[in-house]
């Protein structure tokens, strides 16, 4: 399809409008004609910035996943809390756009996080975490965070006692009791899951995290 000679909209405005439509009307309502109507232009105007619908959805996924800021925390022995905060930031961003969860699942490219990976690898190094644990930590963090948050986003919001829905106290008395005495929200359970994973990586490998100065000296 031929492109108009002059763009009538910006790429950023098209992505923002796409997110608005998906948030308010659902993913099934999203289409190029619907987006063009929302922006007050004809569909060909979109081709100044995007080759097709898939490219728009990829841009939506990038926008949502990249909305969270890096935590402001100095490297040190409490380094796991940096990653807990990082995961909570991503969770917050994704849950603001629950209808877009399938888009992130399908279109979020891993290379989007490369810059963040480099920053977090540097943070691990500066915190004295051995380099041979970095891939395990970063890969595990991505899988845990995205897996848990996208699953949560595609479900209805829950309370402390309805994290597992439709539990029958008669046929499932143990699970019903566990829910009744549960004191953690979904957010707190997520937070503890991330924290447990990070501490477990170091503990299970029997490696003691060293001070950054000693770590640098050992390389020399």
């Amino acid at each position: 399809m031929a492109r108009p000679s002059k763009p009538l909209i910006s790429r950023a405005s098209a992505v923002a409008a796409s997110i608005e439509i998906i948030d308010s009307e659902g993913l099934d309502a999203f289409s190029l004609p619907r987006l063009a109507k929302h922006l007050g232009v004809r569909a060909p105007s979109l081709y100044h910035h995007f080759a097709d619908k898939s490219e728009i959805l990829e841009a939506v996924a990038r926008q949502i996943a990249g909305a969270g800021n890096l935590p402001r925390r100095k490297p040190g022995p409490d380094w796991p809390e940096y990653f807990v905060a990082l995961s909570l930031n991503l969770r917050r961003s994704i849950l603001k756009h629950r209808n877009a969860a399938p888009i992130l699942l399908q279109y979020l490219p891993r290379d989007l996080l490369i810059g963040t990976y480099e920053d977090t690898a540097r943070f691990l190094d500066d915190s004295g975490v051995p380099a041979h644990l970095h891939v395990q930590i970063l890969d595990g963090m991505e899988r845990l965070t995205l897996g848990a948050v996208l699953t949560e986003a595609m479900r209805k919001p829950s309370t402390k006692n309805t994290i597992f829905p439709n539990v029958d106290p008669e046929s499932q008395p143990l699970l019903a009791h566990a829910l009744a005495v549960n004191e953690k929200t979904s957010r707190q359970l997520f937070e503890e899951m991330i924290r447990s994973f990070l501490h477990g990586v170091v503990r299970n490998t029997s490696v003691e995290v060293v001070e950054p100065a000693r770590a640098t000296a050992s390389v020399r």
Side-chain angles (χ1 to χ4, degrees), residues 155-167 175 179 182-190:
R155 296 175 177 171
K156 294 181 179 180
S158 63
T159 65
K160 295 177 183 179
N161 304 127
T162 61
I163 290 173
F164 296 107
N166 306 317
V167 175
L175 182 55
L179 286 172
N182 173 52
E183 297 182 351
K184 289 184 171 61
T185 63
S186 293
R187 179 189 182 281
Q188 291 170 329
L189 289 171
F190 171 81

Side-chain angles (χ1 to χ4, degrees), residues 152-216:
E152 182 179 356
M154 297 178 74
R155 296 175 177 171
K156 294 181 179 180
S158 63
T159 65
K160 295 177 183 179
N161 304 127
T162 61
I163 290 173
F164 296 107
N166 306 317
V167 175
D168 179 14
E170 295 296 326
S171 61
Q172 300 167 293
L174 295 178
L175 182 55
H177 176 68
L179 286 172
V181 299
N182 173 52
E183 297 182 351
K184 289 184 171 61
T185 63
S186 293
R187 179 189 182 281
Q188 291 170 329
L189 289 171
F190 171 81
E191 184 178 348
E192 288 305 314
M193 176 187 69
I194 298 298
R195 188 174 285 119
S196 296
F197 163 73
L198 293 167
H199 286 286
V201 168
V202 176
R203 182 175 61 250
N204 292 340
T205 54
S206 300
V207 174
E208 182 179 351
V209 176
V210 297
E211 293 297 328
R214 283 187 289 165
T216 302

